[in-house]
Amino acid sequence: MHFQKRRAGTKQEIPTSSMPDIVFMLLLFFMVTTTLREVDVLVQFKLPEAQAIEKIENKRLISYLWVGKDKRIQINDSIVKLEEVEPIMYGKRQVLPNVIVSFRIDQGVDMGLVMDIQQALRKAYCLRVNYSATLKI
């Protein structure tokens, strides 16, 4: 008598029919959750340290202004002169009335330049200002 071994009729392959759906869902997830960097910082700066800092929750209202160690001022993607700060920020205030100007200033910059920028912001009616700093440990 000859016995024949029976095998189950299952396939050994991995089903790939749903693979395009999974890839599309992953692609859509990463497109929705990823935020693109809006501004390239062109100036070099090192933020001063503070013992207490407060985080601003609504970052949509923030407009960043950088001042590098070489005293160059950057707003958005361009380096501007001190005279150009007022019209640029006035335009931003017209678009967004509750704009908060966040200074990111190098710790070595003298306060005279900072006061001049503040005066320009005051003339542009941008009165909500904060200073960025790193937490001192």
Side-chain angles (χ1 to χ4, degrees):
M1 184 173 226
H2 184 67
F3 292 104
Q4 192 173 22
K5 190 173 183 180
R6 289 188 175 182
R7 294 188 176 207
T10 59
K11 294 181 180 178
Q12 299 288 328
E13 300 169 354
I14 298 173
T16 58
S17 62
S18 63
M19 190 69 78
D21 294 337
I22 294 171
V23 169
F24 181 73
M25 284 179 18
L26 283 172
L27 180 66
L28 190 63
F29 172 76
F30 286 116
M31 286 175 61
V32 170
T33 59
T34 303
T35 57
L36 300 176
R37 186 176 187 143
E38 295 176 1
V39 177
D40 290 330
V41 180
L42 303 174
V43 297
Q44 292 181 348
F45 66 100
K46 182 179 178 186
L47 292 177
E49 294 179 344
Q51 293 182 352
I53 58 174
E54 184 176 336
K55 187 174 182 178
I56 297 174
E57 297 299 328
N58 191 359
K59 293 195 176 196
R60 290 184 180 191
L61 298 175
I62 295 177
S63 176
Y64 293 101
L65 188 144
W66 291 271
V67 180
K69 64 173 83 173
D70 52 356
K71 299 181 181 178
R72 293 189 310 167
I73 303 169
Q74 178 182 349
I75 299 174
N76 295 335
D77 281 335
S78 60
I79 303 292
V80 297
K81 295 179 181 177
L82 181 62
E83 299 82 26
E84 298 170 339
V85 171
E86 181 184 345
I88 291 172
M89 296 311 289
Y90 185 76
K92 284 191 171 210
R93 182 148 189 321
Q94 293 296 319
V95 174
L96 193 62
N98 293 330
V99 66
I100 300 171
V101 180
S102 179
F103 282 103
R104 293 193 168 184
I105 301 173
D106 185 71
Q107 60 185 3
V109 172
D110 58 333
M111 281 303 291
L113 177 62
V114 177
M115 292 302 292
D116 292 341
I117 295 171
Q118 282 185 339
Q119 291 296 327
L121 292 176
R122 190 174 296 168
K123 290 177 184 174
Y125 300 107
C126 291
L127 303 177
R128 299 178 71 186
V129 174
N130 75 349
Y131 294 91
S132 298
T134 57
L135 184 62
K136 185 176 183 180
I137 301 174

